Amino acid sequence: MASTLSRLQFGRMRGLRAKLLRRYEHQPLVTCLAGLYGCRWRRYERSRTQPGDCCCNKLEGASFALLVAAFCLTLVFLYFWGQAKNDYNDFDFNFGNLGFWFPWSVVLLVIAAGFFTYITVLMLLAVCLVSEGQKLYLHWSHKIGILVSLTFSIVATAVLSDLWSKEWKTLLLSFQVTAPYLHVGGVLLMTALAWPVALHFFRMNSRRRGLIMGVYLTILFALYLVPLGLYSPCIKEERTLGPAPPLIGHRGAPMLAPENTLMSFEKAVEAGSKGLETDVTIFDGVPFLMHDRTLRRTTNVHEVFPNRTDAPAAMFTWAELESLNAGAWFLSHNPFGTAGSLGAEERQRAGNQSVCSLQAFLQLAAQTDKLVIFDLYRPPRGHPYRDTWIQRTLEVIQNESSIHSSQVLWLPSDLRALVQEIDPELQQTSGSRLPLEELQSNNIVKLNLHYSSMEYEAVNITTNLYVISQPWLYSLAWCSGVHSVTTNSPQLLSTMSSPLFLMRENSMLMKTM
């Protein structure tokens, strides 16, 4: 009698559990979800999960695990590539040594965004199906799509790590400004998943409940521990924030005019740049401005001298250089996507720019009272100025322009002692991180370093970081107390009145509680 009563009570309990778990099925919604996820558009093709059942069999479970892995990897890659935007210019110019502009980075970004959108939609469909009590069945075409997305993320990450490994440092730097917001987003995501996880938890038998709850709580617990190791220089009181780092135009203002042309430097001056950066090459005694080893990217050398397209820029006379057009490429290739913002008169002027001499560059800096800094390329073997290129450059600074030597940040490391002896007023600048004793013995007063060295500090020596063009990276440099930055976008950064992502400490504490 007692056993019969117990069985009756147990049966009632099971019936009550099934009744509690039975939910009204939103027929059109479930049909749409199942159709998009598994191409099961007919009702009889679908099946509901029963109390104690898992949401899928082992094969579908493996497919869902791959879907989660693909989601995580595509998200990481998309975030990584989005933060690398600061250096797209370098990547596109150097990729495959093509020597001309092609927006490889943008193409890669579009592909990554497409894969991420596709995987995210599948993830949302799966979560909604589980919430509706449906068993998961992923169509074979989606399984192939997941494998393609996963393969793309892995291969692209591996290739870029080999070609452009320094961008991982950029990724780590980005966390210093975005980590508080990413953390809050992660907590909100896990909170949103609480409901479907709870529904599935109550449907499963006791043996599998522990696994589901263990994984969920572990991730949630890890998220709440993240703030303990969180560091961001932009979490500070506004009154402790220093002045905005002065800007140095990288090859002028290359987003507004052809790089290393007089128009580009004039645009940088108009945008409020404190200094101007360039690259100097020399042939027949006339130092001129050119970044690349050859002339084919930024001039029409292929039209004027078709047989010398790949010849070193240093092997052209100044008369030959003056015959080249150094601006038409900017309008035809539109490397930064900004040429369309120029008016008709400015477009005509940009299209008629010529190769700029060092003398004209220094004169502009002297007239506008700007600092200058430049890389100085030694001519190739057999060149008439192979051994006197530094002395010739100093002659232009001292005798052929009205610039004060104190306005020049002298970057070349060759014959530094001789240079200082000839012109002690030059601001000796190092392009590498050297021991303090060596910096002092060489009278180095400034460092010019890649922005990945943002946390490097030298006593009594100011630091300029290059090349910072994105507002988030400039904000990080600002919060970190950097002295100055070289940028491709002085017209954009000069308009910032305060750093992005600036957050007070008490606000951060409230967000993480």
Side-chain angles (χ1 to χ4, degrees):
M1 183 69 179
S3 61
T4 303
L5 183 60
S6 297
R7 286 196 298 270
L8 182 61
Q9 290 176 342
F10 181 72
R12 288 177 178 175
M13 290 291 293
R14 292 188 60 183
L16 179 61
R17 183 184 181 211
K19 187 176 181 180
L20 289 173
L21 292 174
R22 188 180 302 119
R23 303 169 61 243
Y24 175 73
E25 183 176 304
H26 305 86
Q27 179 69 33
L29 174 63
V30 173
T31 299
C32 183
L33 294 174
L36 293 173
Y37 188 80
C39 292
R40 293 190 167 191
W41 296 97
R42 299 178 182 177
R43 181 178 176 82
Y44 67 82
E45 291 181 328
R46 297 183 276 108
S47 58
R48 292 181 58 84
T49 56
Q50 301 301 317
D53 289 347
C54 183
C55 64
C56 53
N57 56 35
K58 292 182 178 180
L59 177 60
E60 295 304 321
S63 298
F64 183 74
L66 284 177
L67 177 60
V68 173
F71 173 79
C72 294
L73 287 177
T74 53
L75 175 61
V76 169
F77 181 79
L78 184 62
Y79 178 81
F80 162 76
W81 201 237
Q83 297 306 310
K85 186 178 181 180
N86 184 79
D87 300 322
Y88 280 178
N89 185 46
D90 295 335
F91 180 80
D92 290 332
F93 278 139
N94 294 329
F95 190 87
N97 295 319
L98 293 178
F100 59 86
W101 174 271
F102 184 81
W104 299 101
S105 55
V106 177
V107 172
L108 199 57
L109 182 63
V110 170
I111 295 174
F115 278 128
F116 175 72
T117 302
Y118 170 67
I119 294 297
T120 301
V121 170
L122 287 181
M123 281 286 295
L124 290 174
L125 291 173
V127 171
C128 291
L129 283 170
V130 171
S131 299
E132 290 294 329
Q134 299 294 317
K135 282 195 172 184
L136 296 181
Y137 173 80
L138 186 65
H139 193 261
W140 62 267
S141 61
H142 289 322
K143 292 176 182 177
I144 294 176
I146 291 172
L147 289 176
V148 172
S149 302
L150 196 61
T151 302
F152 167 80
S153 299
I154 294 173
V155 171
T157 302
V159 171
L160 288 172
S161 295
D162 181 57
L163 294 177
W164 219 15
S165 59
K166 67 178 183 180
E167 286 306 306
W168 288 112
K169 180 65 175 179
T170 305
L171 182 68
L172 295 177
L173 286 174
S174 73
F175 287 145
Q176 293 187 16
V177 292
T178 61
Y181 302 92
L182 293 176
H183 172 254
V184 173
V187 172
L188 292 176
L189 176 62
M190 293 304 294
T191 303
L193 289 176
W195 181 248
V197 169
L199 288 175
H200 195 56
F201 172 81
F202 283 110
R203 288 193 185 100
M204 298 186 69
N205 56 40
S206 57
R207 290 181 302 174
R208 294 178 178 175
R209 287 182 181 179
L211 177 62
I212 292 290
M213 190 55 62
V215 172
Y216 181 80
L217 291 179
T218 299
I219 297 175
L220 199 60
F221 183 68
L223 280 173
Y224 277 102
L225 288 180
V226 164
L228 297 177
L230 192 64
Y231 166 74
S232 173
C234 287
I235 300 178
K236 60 170 54 178
E237 296 297 328
E238 191 169 355
R239 56 184 172 79
T240 64
L241 183 68
L247 304 175
I248 297 178
H250 183 236
R251 308 175 201 169
M255 293 184 178
L256 303 179
E259 67 177 58
N260 279 334
T261 62
L262 205 56
M263 179 182 179
S264 183
F265 296 115
E266 290 173 350
K267 287 290 186 182
V269 171
E270 293 174 7
S273 298
K274 180 182 178 181
L276 305 172
E277 185 273 349
T278 188
D279 312 274
V280 178
T281 304
I282 187 172
F283 179 64
D284 59 351
V286 180
F288 62 94
L289 312 186
M290 185 60 57
H291 172 267
D292 296 2
R293 187 186 68 86
T294 69
L295 302 168
R296 61 177 180 170
R297 179 174 65 87
T298 58
T299 72
N300 62 337
V301 65
H302 60 284
E303 298 175 358
V304 182
F305 304 104
N307 297 327
R308 301 170 64 187
T309 301
D310 295 321
M315 301 309 292
F316 286 77
T317 66
W318 178 242
E320 292 171 335
L321 292 170
E322 285 187 305
S323 68
L324 299 176
N325 183 301
W329 72 277
F330 176 78
L331 299 177
S332 60
H333 294 294
N334 194 13
F336 293 96
T338 52
S341 64
L342 301 179
E345 185 177 341
E346 288 186 322
R347 287 179 62 87
Q348 182 178 5
R349 184 185 174 203
N352 291 322
Q353 289 297 297
S354 58
V355 176
C356 184
S357 67
L358 176 62
Q359 180 189 26
F361 168 72
L362 295 177
Q363 281 298 105
L364 175 63
Q367 294 167 5
T368 55
D369 194 27
K370 302 300 179 183
L371 297 175
V372 299
I373 182 172
F374 52 82
D375 287 314
L376 181 58
Y377 300 148
R378 187 177 186 181
R381 295 183 184 278
H383 193 282
Y385 284 86
R386 168 71 177 179
D387 299 319
T388 57
W389 85 109
I390 287 182
Q391 291 87 333
R392 177 64 190 123
T393 303
L394 288 174
E395 287 179 7
V396 175
I397 294 174
Q398 295 176 319
N399 305 323
E400 300 178 19
S401 69
S402 58
I403 194 170
H404 296 292
S405 296
S406 58
Q407 293 177 245
V408 179
L409 308 181
W410 184 264
L411 185 60
S413 58
D414 302 271
L415 306 177
R416 191 180 291 276
L418 175 62
V419 171
Q420 188 173 3
E421 181 180 347
I422 295 174
D423 194 340
E425 292 188 14
L426 295 170
Q427 294 192 48
Q428 294 297 324
T429 305
S430 174
S432 57
R433 298 164 57 169
L434 300 173
L436 181 59
E437 297 78 10
E438 187 173 349
L439 293 174
Q440 292 176 339
S441 64
N442 286 291
N443 296 306
I444 304 296
V445 297
K446 198 175 190 72
L447 294 175
N448 185 58
L449 304 176
H450 187 262
Y451 66 79
S452 59
S453 303
M454 191 171 298
E455 298 176 0
Y456 176 77
E457 293 184 3
V459 180
N460 297 325
I461 296 178
T462 60
T463 303
N464 177 72
L465 298 182
Y466 66 90
V467 173
I468 293 178
S469 301
Q470 291 297 305
W472 75 264
L473 193 53
Y474 182 65
S475 298
L476 183 60
W478 189 344
C479 294
S480 301
V482 171
H483 301 104
S484 63
V485 302
T486 300
T487 179
N488 286 324
S489 54
Q491 76 285 354
L492 173 63
L493 301 187
S494 62
T495 62
M496 293 177 58
S497 58
S498 63
L500 303 178
F501 309 109
L502 185 63
M503 185 182 296
R504 294 180 178 178
E505 293 183 7
N506 55 357
S507 299
M508 180 58 197
L509 290 174
M510 291 178 63
K511 287 178 179 289
T512 56
M513 290 179 61

